[in-house]
């Protein structure tokens, strides 16, 4: 920002200059946010109702839990929580007043708008106005975040609450103890939306205690703030803990699914992302029941939720301890996933969504570009002071992936902080203050990130098409289901379920020859399925009748 010249001297910018620059940058942010989100909302609103109401896997579990809560079961059932409870209550609030999925989607767009504002304020506090503007513009262009805002998953809520906690904890808020109290409470709410956010708590406390110097000075003055932060954190989490105690008789902090999630990411077949464990149906609705059933079969007696949780943690630790070399390789695969641009999720896949909703291409920014830009501006001082709090968000998000498994949905809460570091790097690059070695490092990191390393990405694309095909089929739109089943069969040629459902869809629209062929493929892949045998016999008889 240039000052005004008067008699050869350079004056400091006036308050009016600062205000005009701030307003200009904020207008650009708001305009980009409105355009990108508005286009996607319009795109989805004009699509089939089957796509608008698509609730796969975790989304369905949250929605069913919300129905129970809003329908007269305020404690959410007789078992300890096996999911992030805050999001289920968030959905239940809309259901209680007659809201539909669109009311949820639009509220999450509002939460994303709050994320934009919080990110801008954090950028101002840490780096300055230009970086704040560039960082929020980058966030508005990140497609995976925009996609998940119009889905029934906890990501948007958890991201907003994580940033809110950082906003309250920033020293620029003042010395009053209400700010760490609010920061701790917001962090507790974020933990109720994403339990792995608990990893951020000790880092935030250490940062608050040392003001990012990582040296214990003036601890008598700073210790109260840290204690108050933890008080706020526990106040937010306590209702879930007490509720779990009431319904199960056991002290479970937030959720009873941590052990299963740990085992899903650390087992013989793990490749860094989600792996279905043997004996589990793969349905999130029955995951806790499956986990309990398998543990009871192993112990030969009834077990409580704490024993189940401990058993699956032990399974994961036993695998990691059995072969340290394989454990290191597995951690490297998880790290590769976190650093990669493949938006590998468990149900919503960005590349597949873009093929259906082209408006998502208005948010084209890949993770690899953010990674490269952040390396351009990375300095040792970023590990200290105010930037260190943002760095703690990144670090704990990465630690969570290394402990459990990678999903791009779980990486989203780290993206706002990365956007600010990237914006700082972009600003340095625009000032031509980057040496050739740093350019080379950033370029290599970006290139390696953009390369698709994981075969799981294409498999999950196919799974997404399969689930969407199922949605269309359940809605009676058999013809519309066919292209999704066909794409799924190409991506997962050895999955009997996909070929079976493809055959049923062909049969439902009278294409009996293709139905028979698809069912033959399904039977070849798994000859033991009676449903496939019956369907094959039925459509063969119809084909023979048609041929006469």
């Amino acid at each position: 920002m240039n000052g005004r010249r008067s008699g050869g001297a350079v004056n400091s910018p006036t308050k009016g200059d600062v205000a005009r620059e701030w307003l200009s940058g904020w207008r650009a942010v708001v305009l980009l946010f409105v355009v990108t989100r508005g286009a996607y909302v319009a795109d989805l609103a004009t699509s089939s109702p089957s796509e608008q109401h698509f609730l796969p896997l975790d989304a369905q579990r949250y929605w069913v839990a919300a129905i129970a809560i809003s329908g007269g079961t305020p404690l959410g059932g007789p078992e300890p929580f096996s999911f992030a409870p805050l999001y289920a209550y968030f959905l239940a609030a809309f259901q209680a007043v007659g809201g539909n999925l669109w009311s949820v989607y639009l509220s999450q767009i509002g939460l994303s708008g709050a994320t934009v504002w919080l990110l801008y304020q954090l950028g101002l506090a840490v780096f300055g106005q230009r970086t704040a503007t560039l960082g929020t513009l980058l966030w508005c262009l990140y497609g995976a975040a925009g996609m998940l805002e119009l889905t029934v998953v906890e990501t948007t809520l958890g991201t907003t609450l994580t940033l809110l906690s950082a906003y309250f904890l920033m020293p620029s808020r003042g010395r009053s103890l209400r700010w760490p109290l609010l920061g701790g409470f917001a962090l507790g709410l974020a933990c109720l939306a994403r339990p792995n956010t608990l990893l951020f708590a000790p880092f935030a406390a250490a940062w608050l205690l040392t003001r990012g110097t990582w040296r214990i000075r003036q601890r008598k003055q700073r210790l109260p703030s840290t204690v108050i932060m933890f008080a706020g954190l526990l106040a937010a989490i306590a209702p879930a803990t007490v509720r779990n105690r009431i319904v199960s008789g056991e002290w479970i902090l937030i959720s009873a699914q941590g052990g299963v999630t740990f085992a899903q990411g650390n087992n013989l077949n793990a490749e860094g992302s989600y792996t279905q464990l043997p004996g589990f149906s793969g349905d999130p609705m029955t995951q806790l029941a499956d986990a309990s059933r398998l543990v009871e079969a192993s112990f030969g007696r009834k077990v409580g939720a704490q024993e189940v949780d401990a058993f699956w943690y032990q399974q994961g630790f036993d695998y990691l301890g059995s072969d340290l070399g394989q454990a290191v390789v597995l951690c490297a695969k998880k790290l590769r996933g976190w650093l990669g641009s493949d938006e590998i999720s468990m149900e919503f896949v960005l590349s597949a969504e873009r093929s259906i909703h082209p408006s998502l291409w208005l948010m084209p920014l890949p993770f690899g570009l953010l990674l490269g830009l952040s390396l351009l501006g990375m300095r040792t001082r970023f590990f200290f002071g105010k930037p260190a709090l943002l760095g703690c968000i990144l670090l704990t998000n990465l630690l969570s992936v290394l402990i459990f498994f990678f999903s791009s949905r779980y990486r989203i809460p780290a993206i706002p902080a990365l956007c600010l570091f990237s914006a700082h790097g972009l600003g340095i690059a625009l000032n031509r203050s980057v040496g050739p070695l740093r350019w080379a490092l950033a370029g290599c990191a970006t290139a390696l990130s953009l390369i698709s390393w994981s075969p799981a990405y294409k498999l999950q694309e196919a799974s997404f098409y399969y689930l969407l095909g199922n949605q269309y089929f359940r809605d009676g739109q058999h013809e519309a289901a066919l292209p999704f089943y066909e794409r799924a069969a190409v991506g997962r040629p050895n999955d009997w379920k996909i070929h079976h459902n493809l055959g049923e869809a062909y049969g439902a629209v009278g294409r009996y020859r293709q139905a028979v062929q698809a069912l033959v493929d399904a039977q070849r892949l798994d000859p033991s399925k009676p449903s496939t045998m019956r369907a094959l016999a039925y459509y063969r008889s119809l084909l023979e009748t048609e041929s006469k």
Side-chain angles (χ1 to χ4, degrees):
M1 182 166 57
N2 296 323
R4 296 176 178 175
R5 292 188 178 274
S6 176
V10 179
N11 297 327
S12 299
T14 66
K15 291 184 178 179
D17 293 332
V18 173
R20 278 190 291 273
E21 186 174 352
W22 182 92
L23 186 59
S24 175
W26 184 242
R27 280 174 176 168
V29 169
V30 171
L31 178 62
L32 184 61
F33 180 80
V34 169
V35 168
T36 54
R37 271 51 179 184
Y40 185 35
V41 166
D43 193 349
L44 184 62
T46 55
S47 66
S48 164
S50 296
E51 292 177 26
Q52 296 179 35
H53 303 147
F54 181 43
L55 295 176
L57 302 176
D58 283 350
Q60 185 179 26
R61 175 172 60 168
Y62 279 125
W63 194 250
V64 170
I67 290 173
I69 293 167
S70 63
T73 311
L75 292 181
E79 298 176 334
F81 289 126
S82 60
F83 49 82
L86 182 62
Y87 190 64
Y89 283 90
F90 173 79
L91 296 176
F94 291 96
Q95 293 179 0
V97 295
N100 59 13
L101 283 173
W102 270 106
S103 63
V104 175
Y105 296 158
L106 294 178
S107 71
Q108 290 181 167
I109 292 289
L111 284 173
S112 181
T115 296
V116 167
W117 186 84
L118 290 167
L119 183 59
Y120 194 86
Q121 296 303 313
L122 286 168
L124 285 174
V126 177
F127 294 110
Q129 198 268 331
R130 182 174 69 169
T131 296
T133 301
L134 289 174
T136 46
L137 289 173
L138 291 174
W139 167 254
C140 290
L141 292 172
Y142 195 70
M147 173 190 71
L148 291 173
E149 289 160 14
L150 298 188
T151 60
V152 182
V153 290
E154 78 295 335
T155 306
T156 302
L157 178 62
T159 301
T160 303
L161 290 171
T162 301
L163 279 191
L164 183 63
S165 69
Y167 171 78
F168 284 138
L169 291 175
M170 270 293 166
S172 55
R173 304 268 66 77
R175 295 185 177 182
S176 171
L177 290 179
R178 74 174 180 271
W179 298 116
L181 178 65
L182 289 171
F185 192 79
L187 180 55
L189 293 178
C191 293
L192 293 177
R194 284 292 312 143
N196 62 348
T197 311
L198 274 169
L199 289 170
F200 178 52
F203 287 89
W207 180 88
L208 194 61
L209 188 62
T210 66
R211 287 293 189 265
T213 64
W214 309 118
R215 296 177 182 176
I216 304 298
R217 294 176 179 176
Q218 299 178 320
R219 55 183 178 273
K220 289 185 178 180
Q221 293 88 338
R222 293 172 178 171
L223 187 58
S225 296
T226 307
V227 173
I228 287 293
M229 187 208 80
F230 273 113
L233 172 74
L234 293 175
I237 292 175
T241 308
V242 172
R243 178 264 176 202
N244 286 333
R245 172 70 176 180
I246 290 172
V247 301
S248 71
E250 298 183 82
W251 290 108
I252 296 169
L253 190 61
I254 297 175
S255 168
Q257 69 173 355
V260 173
T261 305
F262 183 70
Q264 287 168 340
N266 301 282
N267 60 78
L268 186 62
N269 299 316
E271 292 291 332
S273 57
Y274 166 81
T275 305
Q276 183 176 322
L277 294 169
F280 282 75
S281 66
D283 184 353
M285 299 286 291
T286 63
Q287 180 169 284
L288 187 59
D290 291 341
S292 300
R293 171 177 50 80
L294 292 169
V295 175
E296 287 173 358
S298 176
F299 288 177
R301 59 177 175 84
K302 285 283 187 181
V303 293
Q306 288 180 328
E307 279 188 286
V308 172
D309 205 36
F311 175 88
W312 291 109
Y313 269 118
Q314 191 61 51
Q315 292 293 109
F317 283 123
D318 287 346
Y319 167 73
L320 294 174
S322 65
D323 190 334
L324 292 180
Q326 281 297 105
V328 171
V329 170
L330 179 57
C331 283
K333 290 178 179 179
K334 295 176 184 179
L335 178 63
R336 181 188 66 189
W338 196 89
L339 294 174
S341 294
D342 284 347
E343 299 291 347
I344 300 174
S345 187
M346 289 177 289
E347 55 264 272
F348 299 100
V349 183
L350 181 60
S351 59
E353 289 277 11
R354 279 176 170 160
S355 71
I356 302 168
H357 302 294
S359 59
L360 282 169
W361 283 108
L362 291 174
M363 297 175 268
L365 187 66
F367 181 85
L369 188 56
L370 289 176
L371 180 65
L373 288 173
S374 65
L375 290 175
L376 287 179
M378 191 64 69
R379 297 288 187 272
T380 304
R381 63 184 178 85
F382 282 179
F383 300 103
F384 301 92
K386 292 179 180 179
L389 182 60
L390 301 177
C392 287
I393 295 176
L394 287 172
L395 176 61
T396 52
N397 187 273
L398 176 57
L399 281 176
S400 172
V401 166
L402 294 177
I403 293 169
F404 296 100
F405 57 82
F406 173 71
S407 168
S408 65
R409 176 176 129 202
Y410 301 156
R411 183 174 62 185
I412 294 294
I415 299 300
L418 187 64
C419 283
L420 289 179
F421 286 120
S422 301
H424 183 75
L426 180 59
I428 291 176
L430 292 174
N431 289 336
R432 300 181 181 179
S433 302
V434 179
L437 183 60
R438 194 172 289 273
W439 271 114
L441 176 63
C444 287
T446 299
L448 289 173
S449 177
L450 292 173
I451 295 173
S452 182
W453 296 94
S454 176
Y457 196 40
K458 292 298 181 184
L459 294 176
Q460 289 183 341
E461 254 188 355
S463 296
F464 171 83
Y465 289 130
Y466 169 68
L467 292 171
L468 188 54
N470 287 344
Q471 181 71 48
Y472 272 105
F473 194 89
R474 283 193 299 269
D475 292 345
Q477 300 186 58
H478 305 129
E479 191 72 51
L482 279 172
F484 297 109
Y485 282 143
E486 288 168 346
R487 291 187 199 180
V490 171
R492 299 186 77 108
N494 297 320
D495 191 323
W496 78 270
K497 297 189 301 293
I498 293 175
H499 291 279
H500 175 94
N501 287 15
L502 176 60
E504 294 279 18
Y506 277 134
V509 297
R511 295 161 65 173
Y512 303 133
R513 189 174 302 279
Q514 289 164 292
V516 167
Q517 182 57 58
L519 290 165
V520 166
D521 291 338
Q523 190 176 49
R524 172 179 53 81
L525 292 168
D526 192 341
S528 67
K529 300 298 181 182
S531 58
T532 302
M533 297 177 193
R534 289 193 298 269
L536 182 56
Y538 176 68
Y539 287 117
R540 272 178 171 160
S541 67
L542 291 179
L543 180 61
E544 291 172 2
T545 302
E546 185 181 60
S547 302
K548 291 179 181 178

